[in-house]
Amino acid sequence: MFFKRLRMDINAAMENDPAARSKFEVWLTYSGVKALSHHRLANRLYKMNLKLLARIVSQYSRRRTGIEIHPAARIAPGVFIDHGMGVVIGETAEVGAGSVIYQGVTLGGTGKQTGKRHPTVGENCVISAGAKVLGDIHVGDYAKVGAGAVVLRDVPAHATVVGVPARVVRIRGSKEGIDLCQDNSDPLRDEVCALRERMFALEEQMERLKQEKEEIEKSGNEKD
């Protein structure tokens, strides 16, 4: 079973990385493949209730590869972690087969709640560099998360999401049928908009005062 999963991980790297020249090179040098192999061992130990030993294996893998995966995380065979430096995958996270995860990705939680608190990533998803997928949310099959996006809500299958917070910009490669009034509250944007409206209101008030002053001066000159 271990070697079958290893072959699937190597094949995923060959399919998704045009720089991969041979399976032997992938097995020998790819940090993502090594991290997943270490995780398989750590996960087995965790299920055997050897949790301390499992954590030791995961931390050893973190030091060797720069990829931190909690031993309890559920990662299907055939996942490809490209480059991988800075990737963090939390305890209750799940990743489906065929998904690709790039460097700097976090599949994390949003607080100190217990139970399922990390995301579930479907099959054949792409989580781009620096993306943060946080909380007990679901990323649908074949979805794509843009680089640097912060995902706090469920992502539909076949959707592409970008931004902070992430919003849907395409479904199956098309913009048709997308709700353009999505709840994409951005505190910084809202503050800038509020300041702009306040500035417009002050400009209108200053213009009225200027007109009133001119009228008073004009009426005073006519009396003289």
Side-chain angles (χ1 to χ4, degrees):
M1 181 64 72
F2 174 82
F3 291 104
K4 179 181 179 180
R5 292 179 175 179
L6 177 60
R7 285 195 298 270
M8 294 177 69
D9 293 340
I10 293 174
N11 289 336
M14 294 293 295
E15 292 172 3
N16 290 286
D17 188 1
R21 291 173 292 186
S22 70
K23 292 182 179 180
F24 182 72
E25 178 188 34
V26 170
W27 173 74
L28 197 63
T29 64
Y30 276 47
S31 59
V33 173
K34 290 181 179 294
L36 289 174
S37 296
H38 295 153
H39 173 68
R40 312 279 184 220
L41 174 59
N43 185 254
R44 172 65 67 86
L45 294 171
Y46 196 88
K47 290 179 178 178
M48 294 170 61
N49 208 32
L50 300 173
K51 295 182 178 180
L52 176 58
L53 188 56
R55 292 290 294 184
I56 291 173
V57 172
S58 70
Q59 290 303 300
Y60 167 81
S61 177
R62 177 179 178 271
R63 290 193 296 270
R64 288 291 303 273
T65 65
I67 300 170
E68 182 170 353
I69 307 175
H70 193 282
R74 298 172 60 184
I75 302 178
V79 170
F80 177 44
I81 301 177
D82 195 5
H83 298 292
M85 181 61 68
V87 167
V88 178
I89 300 178
E91 179 182 7
T92 60
E94 301 178 30
V95 183
S99 293
V100 180
I101 298 174
Y102 289 91
Q103 66 272 15
V105 166
T106 298
L107 304 181
T110 57
K112 296 182 179 181
Q113 64 269 43
T114 58
K116 184 75 167 73
R117 61 189 187 279
H118 297 100
T120 298
V121 178
E123 297 183 353
N124 300 295
C125 296
V126 176
I127 314 296
S128 301
K132 313 301 177 187
V133 187
L134 307 175
D136 180 16
I137 61 176
H138 186 270
V139 179
D141 296 345
Y142 295 92
K144 297 180 180 179
V145 177
V150 177
V151 184
L152 302 173
R153 300 188 178 205
D154 290 348
V155 178
H158 299 275
T160 300
V161 298
V162 300
V164 182
R167 64 190 185 281
V168 177
V169 294
R170 282 182 174 81
I171 296 179
R172 296 182 185 273
S174 174
K175 295 183 179 180
E176 295 182 5
I178 296 176
D179 181 10
L180 298 179
C181 298
Q182 302 173 74
D183 183 8
N184 300 318
S185 58
D186 183 340
L188 180 59
R189 182 193 62 190
D190 294 344
E191 186 68 21
V192 171
C193 290
L195 289 173
R196 184 179 62 180
E197 294 298 325
R198 179 61 175 166
M199 182 184 69
F200 289 158
L202 289 173
E203 288 179 347
E204 291 179 358
Q205 186 177 4
M206 289 178 64
E207 186 64 27
R208 286 196 302 269
L209 291 173
K210 182 179 179 181
Q211 291 177 358
E212 291 175 0
K213 180 181 178 183
E214 290 176 352
E215 291 176 357
I216 292 173
E217 291 178 349
K218 183 179 179 180
S219 60
N221 292 334
E222 289 177 351
K223 290 180 180 180
D224 292 341

